[in-house]
Each structure stands twice: as C-alpha cells, then as structure tokens.
Amino acid sequence: MIDVSYITAPCPVRADIEEAHTFFWQKLAAPGTWWTGAERVAIGAEVRQAHHCQLCQERKAALSPTAIQGTHDTGGVLPETAVEMIHRVTTDPGRLSKRWYDDLLAQGLSDTHYVEALGVVGRTVSVDSFCRGLGLPLHPLPTPVAGEPSRRRPLEATLDGAWVPMVPNGQANVIRALSLVPAEVHLSIEVLLPIQYMEISEVRNLPSDPGRAISRSQIELLAARVSALNQCFY
Amino acid sequence: MELTSVVTPGVESGVPHGACLTAFAEAVLGTDATALVAARQQVLAELGPAGLVDAAAVVATFMQMDRIADGAGIPLDAAFVEPTQEMRTRLGFNDFASAQNTLSVVT
C-alpha cells in the first residue's frame, strides 16, 4: 500500500490533494506505457538528484547550457539520454531547444519514452514543490511494482507544431502536449489540474473563480510569476 | 492586475496580498531557506492556513505545467498569438529562450 500523508503538515491539507498525491505515487511505482515501475521510480529519483548535480549547476550558471560538457551525477539506473533529459527539464526548463530534443532522439531515446518521462518529471517536481512550499520533508519514493509497460501508441498522434507528436483533438496545446502517452495526460492534466489549480473548462473563463481560499486573481498572479521565473513563454 | 509585477519584483500588482504571494513563489523556486520560511509565514499571516495550502498547490501546478510546455516544445496556440503580441513584447516574454517554439512557427 502506497500512501502519501500530510498529517504532519503545519496546516490542514485538503483531502483531495492528499488523495491525488497518493494516486500519483501509486502510478509512479506501477508500470507505465513505456517505462517499467522501477524505471519510473528511478526517473523520480533523478529529478531529486538533479538538484545536487554539479554539471546541472554549472550549466544553469552558464550563458549557454551547451557550452558546458561533462557527465551528470546520476543514480545510474537509467540510460544517459534519459538522465540528460530528466536533469535538464528539472533544472533548466526555460532553455531547452529543438536541437537538444532531436539530439536525444538521435542518441536512441524514443519520443514515447521522452513524453512519458516528461509527465513523470513534471508530477514529481510538482509534488516536491508542494512539500517545499509547506516546509515539509519530501515524500519517500515508492517501492516499484513489477510488470511490463503496455506500449500503446496512439495511431492518430502526429507532428503538429510541437517537438513531440500530439493527438489532434482540438484542445489547447498544453492540454495535449503529453497526448502521445494518454495515461500521462490523465495524471498530469485531468487529475492534477482540477485539484491543484482549477477545472480545465474554467481556465479560459476569466471571471470564473474555483472557490479556493485564494481568489482567481491571486491564483493567476501566482501562476504568472512562477512561469516568468521559469522563463516559460507559453 | 498590473502585469509588469509578473516580471519586475517590487512592482505593485493591484491584487490583494499580491506582494506576499509573489514573494512566496520566488522563495519556493529559490534557494534561500530563510527567505522561504519568512515568505511562508507571511502568507500564513495574511491568507491563513487554507490560503497557504492553495498558494503552494498553484505554485506546484505551474512548476509542472511550465516543464510540460517547454519540454514538449509546444507553440502558443494560434488564437492567442495576435491578441497577446503587444503584452509579450512589453513584458519581455518574446526574449525568453522558450519563445522560439512559438516565434519560429509564426515568423
């Protein structure tokens, strides 16, 4: 049984957040679409390792991250291409480039593995950031569950302006960014957003207020400031 | 909301308790543990326990969403390119490295 608890939090944490984070940890441990449970947990571990990686710190400080060569401080479980992807997305997401992505694929990382790892990295960063915000220790990573990935690729996924193939379903690009691996859309978008932010259908309805303890304008100020600090254009 | 507050620390946002919220966001993303403790206490004092939890949840959400957007290399949706052009220029968003994903499609 994998449970995430906020019982020691300095202030009461909504039950839906605790349930969602428990669900994320259960799914982190389980076989995904392209990575095994052990590999998914290793991705989570690399997210945390990246914050202590000397190469990542030097690249972050450099005018151009590509000017600094070297090897990552890694747990050693995952292929080098995956480690590079996880560390860069974790520590320097605003300076990723199409050339960098293409190089990873040329070195053997598949687009499907990339997109699934992107979802896992995002949720791990999110849960860890939530803990950091509240002053809580990070949750221990779960014990992996044995089993094989399902390896199902949506046949309709196509290159449509993004680096990664996406399913053309008429939704905003950020909602379908992970759609090459639908299970990741479910976790990162359909489960996480309504609980930590607001219902997807309300995002573009600016007068709408999700009824949190902070107002819609306060929510959007926070969102915009975080995205500016991350140098995220989107 | 005064949009320059999003990119320029110290500018009044016009949003109630905006200063403590932006300071909290900056502290969560930063490396100064003392600043984070102080920012957390300020949000707690001004917005209460539930406000702190919801603020942390929003920050956590966009720590994920920014990585998804930049990691997937998605362009800004076509419907938003023209209406946001003046704002993007004024606030310097077009200078972000991640802007190339959109601007390379537009130009």
Side-chain angles (χ1 to χ4, degrees):
Chain A
M1 193 65 172
I2 298 168
D3 281 321
V4 166
S5 173
Y6 288 111
I7 194 77
T8 63
C11 44
V13 173
R14 285 190 274 121
D16 59 350
I17 292 178
E18 189 171 80
E19 290 164 8
H21 290 186
T22 293
F23 185 55
F24 296 154
W25 248 227
Q26 291 169 346
K27 289 296 185 182
L28 177 63
T33 308
W34 298 95
W35 297 99
T36 66
E39 289 166 336
R40 287 167 64 87
V41 173
I43 292 169
E46 285 296 342
V47 167
R48 292 175 174 181
Q49 180 67 28
H51 296 297
H52 309 287
C53 174
Q54 184 67 30
L55 176 60
C56 287
Q57 289 175 17
E58 290 174 8
R59 282 180 169 174
K60 182 74 174 171
L63 199 57
S64 168
T66 57
I68 309 294
Q69 300 301 314
T71 55
H72 290 286
D73 300 323
T74 171
V77 174
L78 298 168
E80 284 183 21
T81 50
V83 172
E84 164 68 12
M85 178 265 173
I86 296 159
H87 282 223
R88 282 292 307 282
V89 172
T90 299
T91 62
D92 203 5
R95 296 196 297 173
L96 306 177
S97 68
K98 176 73 161 57
R99 173 175 291 184
W100 168 82
Y101 170 76
D102 288 341
D103 284 348
L104 290 177
L105 265 54
Q107 293 168 41
L109 186 66
S110 75
D111 53 5
T112 48
H113 283 86
Y114 179 95
V115 169
E116 181 171 331
L118 184 59
V120 173
V121 168
R123 286 191 304 283
T124 305
V125 168
S126 186
V127 172
D128 285 359
S129 297
F130 182 75
C131 291
R132 180 171 162 76
L134 294 184
L136 296 169
L138 303 185
H139 303 296
L141 292 171
T143 302
V145 175
E148 286 299 308
S150 59
R151 299 190 182 91
R152 294 198 187 105
R153 181 187 180 108
L155 296 176
E156 65 273 35
T158 183
L159 286 171
D160 183 20
W163 303 343
V164 301
M166 301 190 294
V167 172
N169 56 16
Q171 292 183 305
N173 287 339
V174 75
I175 301 299
R176 62 194 186 104
L178 301 175
S179 59
L180 184 61
V181 184
E184 294 302 312
V185 178
H186 177 64
L187 294 167
S188 294
I189 305 296
E190 295 168 356
V191 176
L192 187 147
L193 282 190
I195 290 170
Q196 293 188 185
Y197 179 48
M198 68 183 70
E199 292 288 343
I200 299 166
S201 59
E202 296 302 308
V203 171
R204 290 184 176 175
N205 182 12
L206 278 180
S208 172
D209 191 298
R212 305 287 193 218
I214 55 177
S215 68
R216 178 72 190 264
S217 62
Q218 290 170 327
I219 289 172
E220 296 304 334
L221 177 65
L222 274 170
R225 185 64 186 133
V226 170
S227 296
L229 290 166
N230 280 328
Q231 297 268 296
C232 180
F233 176 85
Y234 189 89
Chain B
M1 183 192 302
E2 173 49 57
L3 292 177
T4 53
S5 67
V6 169
V7 291
T8 310
V11 171
E12 172 56 49
S13 65
V15 174
H17 305 288
C20 83
L21 289 169
T22 53
F24 178 67
E26 290 156 14
V28 174
L29 271 72
T31 57
D32 185 336
T34 304
L36 178 54
V37 170
R40 187 184 301 126
Q41 288 303 318
Q42 195 61 34
V43 173
L44 198 55
E46 293 190 28
L47 294 161
L52 175 61
V53 168
D54 285 345
V58 173
V59 171
T61 299
F62 283 84
M63 291 296 278
Q64 169 192 265
M65 298 308 290
D66 293 346
R67 283 167 173 77
I68 290 175
D70 289 339
I74 53 171
L76 188 61
D77 301 79
F80 290 92
V81 172
E82 179 61 29
T84 62
Q85 186 174 16
E86 184 276 331
M87 178 194 71
R88 286 187 280 112
T89 302
R90 179 163 55 90
L91 300 180
F93 294 165
N94 287 342
D95 298 328
F96 288 178
S98 59
Q100 65 188 314
N101 303 329
T102 289
L103 299 182
S104 64
V105 172
V106 173
T107 57

PDB file of all heavy atoms in Angstrom, chain A residues 161-178:
ATOM      1  N   GLY A 161       3.440  21.066 -34.944  1.00  0.00           N
ATOM      2  CA  GLY A 161       3.974  22.330 -34.443  1.00  0.00           C
ATOM      3  C   GLY A 161       4.826  22.209 -33.200  1.00  0.00           C
ATOM      4  O   GLY A 161       5.664  23.058 -32.935  1.00  0.00           O
ATOM      5  N   ALA A 162       4.596  21.163 -32.397  1.00  0.00           N
ATOM      6  CA  ALA A 162       5.416  20.926 -31.213  1.00  0.00           C
ATOM      7  C   ALA A 162       6.598  20.032 -31.584  1.00  0.00           C
ATOM      8  O   ALA A 162       6.654  19.483 -32.681  1.00  0.00           O
ATOM      9  CB  ALA A 162       4.587  20.269 -30.111  1.00  0.00           C
ATOM     10  N   TRP A 163       7.545  19.865 -30.662  1.00  0.00           N
ATOM     11  CA  TRP A 163       8.641  18.932 -30.929  1.00  0.00           C
ATOM     12  C   TRP A 163       8.126  17.506 -30.941  1.00  0.00           C
ATOM     13  O   TRP A 163       8.583  16.680 -31.732  1.00  0.00           O
ATOM     14  CB  TRP A 163       9.710  19.043 -29.843  1.00  0.00           C
ATOM     15  CG  TRP A 163      10.295  20.394 -29.641  1.00  0.00           C
ATOM     16  CD1 TRP A 163      10.234  21.457 -30.518  1.00  0.00           C
ATOM     17  CD2 TRP A 163      11.014  20.858 -28.499  1.00  0.00           C
ATOM     18  NE1 TRP A 163      10.887  22.531 -29.979  1.00  0.00           N
ATOM     19  CE2 TRP A 163      11.380  22.201 -28.754  1.00  0.00           C
ATOM     20  CE3 TRP A 163      11.397  20.268 -27.293  1.00  0.00           C
ATOM     21  CZ2 TRP A 163      12.110  22.948 -27.820  1.00  0.00           C
ATOM     22  CZ3 TRP A 163      12.114  21.006 -26.377  1.00  0.00           C
ATOM     23  CH2 TRP A 163      12.471  22.334 -26.640  1.00  0.00           C
ATOM     24  N   VAL A 164       7.197  17.219 -30.034  1.00  0.00           N
ATOM     25  CA  VAL A 164       6.722  15.840 -29.865  1.00  0.00           C
ATOM     26  C   VAL A 164       5.416  15.644 -30.637  1.00  0.00           C
ATOM     27  O   VAL A 164       4.640  16.590 -30.807  1.00  0.00           O
ATOM     28  CB  VAL A 164       6.493  15.511 -28.369  1.00  0.00           C
ATOM     29  CG1 VAL A 164       7.782  15.692 -27.576  1.00  0.00           C
ATOM     30  CG2 VAL A 164       5.388  16.380 -27.782  1.00  0.00           C
ATOM     31  N   PRO A 165       5.154  14.443 -31.105  1.00  0.00           N
ATOM     32  CA  PRO A 165       3.853  14.192 -31.736  1.00  0.00           C
ATOM     33  C   PRO A 165       2.721  14.366 -30.721  1.00  0.00           C
ATOM     34  O   PRO A 165       2.895  14.059 -29.535  1.00  0.00           O
ATOM     35  CB  PRO A 165       3.954  12.724 -32.190  1.00  0.00           C
ATOM     36  CG  PRO A 165       5.416  12.436 -32.241  1.00  0.00           C
ATOM     37  CD  PRO A 165       6.029  13.252 -31.149  1.00  0.00           C
ATOM     38  N   MET A 166       1.585  14.865 -31.202  1.00  0.00           N
ATOM     39  CA  MET A 166       0.423  15.053 -30.332  1.00  0.00           C
ATOM     40  C   MET A 166      -0.819  14.544 -31.051  1.00  0.00           C
ATOM     41  O   MET A 166      -0.866  14.486 -32.272  1.00  0.00           O
ATOM     42  CB  MET A 166       0.231  16.534 -29.980  1.00  0.00           C
ATOM     43  CG  MET A 166       1.415  17.179 -29.283  1.00  0.00           C
ATOM     44  SD  MET A 166       1.029  18.840 -28.628  1.00  0.00           S
ATOM     45  CE  MET A 166       0.745  19.773 -30.130  1.00  0.00           C
ATOM     46  N   VAL A 167      -1.825  14.206 -30.253  1.00  0.00           N
ATOM     47  CA  VAL A 167      -3.109  13.782 -30.817  1.00  0.00           C
ATOM     48  C   VAL A 167      -3.904  15.041 -31.184  1.00  0.00           C
ATOM     49  O   VAL A 167      -4.077  15.929 -30.341  1.00  0.00           O
ATOM     50  CB  VAL A 167      -3.893  12.933 -29.801  1.00  0.00           C
ATOM     51  CG1 VAL A 167      -5.304  12.654 -30.320  1.00  0.00           C
ATOM     52  CG2 VAL A 167      -3.147  11.635 -29.518  1.00  0.00           C
ATOM     53  N   PRO A 168      -4.361  15.160 -32.431  1.00  0.00           N
ATOM     54  CA  PRO A 168      -5.112  16.358 -32.842  1.00  0.00           C
ATOM     55  C   PRO A 168      -6.565  16.296 -32.366  1.00  0.00           C
ATOM     56  O   PRO A 168      -7.453  15.846 -33.090  1.00  0.00           O
ATOM     57  CB  PRO A 168      -5.032  16.296 -34.374  1.00  0.00           C
ATOM     58  CG  PRO A 168      -4.886  14.848 -34.690  1.00  0.00           C
ATOM     59  CD  PRO A 168      -4.160  14.207 -33.542  1.00  0.00           C
ATOM     60  N   ASN A 169      -6.804  16.777 -31.155  1.00  0.00           N
ATOM     61  CA  ASN A 169      -8.150  16.654 -30.580  1.00  0.00           C
ATOM     62  C   ASN A 169      -8.834  17.993 -30.346  1.00  0.00           C
ATOM     63  O   ASN A 169      -9.869  18.058 -29.678  1.00  0.00           O
ATOM     64  CB  ASN A 169      -8.083  15.872 -29.258  1.00  0.00           C
ATOM     65  CG  ASN A 169      -7.121  16.498 -28.263  1.00  0.00           C
ATOM     66  OD1 ASN A 169      -6.730  17.655 -28.429  1.00  0.00           O
ATOM     67  ND2 ASN A 169      -6.752  15.749 -27.244  1.00  0.00           N
ATOM     68  N   GLY A 170      -8.255  19.084 -30.868  1.00  0.00           N
ATOM     69  CA  GLY A 170      -8.904  20.389 -30.761  1.00  0.00           C
ATOM     70  C   GLY A 170      -8.668  21.104 -29.444  1.00  0.00           C
ATOM     71  O   GLY A 170      -9.141  22.225 -29.262  1.00  0.00           O
ATOM     72  N   GLN A 171      -7.959  20.484 -28.536  1.00  0.00           N
ATOM     73  CA  GLN A 171      -7.709  21.129 -27.249  1.00  0.00           C
ATOM     74  C   GLN A 171      -6.465  22.020 -27.335  1.00  0.00           C
ATOM     75  O   GLN A 171      -5.695  21.957 -28.291  1.00  0.00           O
ATOM     76  CB  GLN A 171      -7.526  20.067 -26.163  1.00  0.00           C
ATOM     77  CG  GLN A 171      -8.809  19.294 -25.874  1.00  0.00           C
ATOM     78  CD  GLN A 171      -8.618  18.297 -24.754  1.00  0.00           C
ATOM     79  OE1 GLN A 171      -7.737  17.442 -24.797  1.00  0.00           O
ATOM     80  NE2 GLN A 171      -9.456  18.397 -23.746  1.00  0.00           N
ATOM     81  N   ALA A 172      -6.274  22.848 -26.304  1.00  0.00           N
ATOM     82  CA  ALA A 172      -5.095  23.718 -26.242  1.00  0.00           C
ATOM     83  C   ALA A 172      -3.830  22.868 -26.268  1.00  0.00           C
ATOM     84  O   ALA A 172      -3.812  21.733 -25.778  1.00  0.00           O
ATOM     85  CB  ALA A 172      -5.150  24.556 -24.966  1.00  0.00           C
ATOM     86  N   ASN A 173      -2.784  23.444 -26.833  1.00  0.00           N
ATOM     87  CA  ASN A 173      -1.540  22.687 -26.972  1.00  0.00           C
ATOM     88  C   ASN A 173      -1.023  22.152 -25.643  1.00  0.00           C
ATOM     89  O   ASN A 173      -0.510  21.029 -25.566  1.00  0.00           O
ATOM     90  CB  ASN A 173      -0.474  23.568 -27.625  1.00  0.00           C
ATOM     91  CG  ASN A 173      -0.741  23.774 -29.107  1.00  0.00           C
ATOM     92  OD1 ASN A 173      -1.461  22.992 -29.738  1.00  0.00           O
ATOM     93  ND2 ASN A 173      -0.180  24.841 -29.664  1.00  0.00           N
ATOM     94  N   VAL A 174      -1.144  22.949 -24.577  1.00  0.00           N
ATOM     95  CA  VAL A 174      -0.599  22.492 -23.298  1.00  0.00           C
ATOM     96  C   VAL A 174      -1.410  21.320 -22.731  1.00  0.00           C
ATOM     97  O   VAL A 174      -0.869  20.496 -21.987  1.00  0.00           O
ATOM     98  CB  VAL A 174      -0.511  23.663 -22.284  1.00  0.00           C
ATOM     99  CG1 VAL A 174      -1.887  24.022 -21.725  1.00  0.00           C
ATOM    100  CG2 VAL A 174       0.472  23.332 -21.172  1.00  0.00           C
ATOM    101  N   ILE A 175      -2.671  21.231 -23.103  1.00  0.00           N
ATOM    102  CA  ILE A 175      -3.502  20.118 -22.621  1.00  0.00           C
ATOM    103  C   ILE A 175      -3.155  18.836 -23.374  1.00  0.00           C
ATOM    104  O   ILE A 175      -3.200  17.739 -22.823  1.00  0.00           O
ATOM    105  CB  ILE A 175      -5.005  20.453 -22.800  1.00  0.00           C
ATOM    106  CG1 ILE A 175      -5.367  21.726 -22.025  1.00  0.00           C
ATOM    107  CG2 ILE A 175      -5.881  19.286 -22.378  1.00  0.00           C
ATOM    108  CD1 ILE A 175      -5.153  21.653 -20.536  1.00  0.00           C
ATOM    109  N   ARG A 176      -2.779  18.975 -24.653  1.00  0.00           N
ATOM    110  CA  ARG A 176      -2.486  17.772 -25.443  1.00  0.00           C
ATOM    111  C   ARG A 176      -0.985  17.529 -25.617  1.00  0.00           C
ATOM    112  O   ARG A 176      -0.583  16.645 -26.361  1.00  0.00           O
ATOM    113  CB  ARG A 176      -3.181  17.835 -26.801  1.00  0.00           C
ATOM    114  CG  ARG A 176      -2.769  18.969 -27.698  1.00  0.00           C
ATOM    115  CD  ARG A 176      -3.738  19.156 -28.856  1.00  0.00           C
ATOM    116  NE  ARG A 176      -3.251  20.154 -29.794  1.00  0.00           N
ATOM    117  CZ  ARG A 176      -2.712  19.873 -30.983  1.00  0.00           C
ATOM    118  NH1 ARG A 176      -2.605  18.629 -31.398  1.00  0.00           N
ATOM    119  NH2 ARG A 176      -2.297  20.828 -31.773  1.00  0.00           N
ATOM    120  N   ALA A 177      -0.157  18.286 -24.887  1.00  0.00           N
ATOM    121  CA  ALA A 177       1.295  18.161 -25.035  1.00  0.00           C
ATOM    122  C   ALA A 177       1.796  16.749 -24.741  1.00  0.00           C
ATOM    123  O   ALA A 177       2.750  16.270 -25.354  1.00  0.00           O
ATOM    124  CB  ALA A 177       2.008  19.161 -24.132  1.00  0.00           C
ATOM    125  N   LEU A 178       1.145  16.073 -23.799  1.00  0.00           N
ATOM    126  CA  LEU A 178       1.568  14.710 -23.421  1.00  0.00           C
ATOM    127  C   LEU A 178       0.723  13.634 -24.096  1.00  0.00           C
ATOM    128  O   LEU A 178       0.814  12.461 -23.725  1.00  0.00           O
ATOM    129  CB  LEU A 178       1.463  14.540 -21.894  1.00  0.00           C
ATOM    130  CG  LEU A 178       2.286  15.489 -21.015  1.00  0.00           C
ATOM    131  CD1 LEU A 178       1.953  15.254 -19.532  1.00  0.00           C
ATOM    132  CD2 LEU A 178       3.778  15.302 -21.256  1.00  0.00           C
TER     133      LEU A 178
END
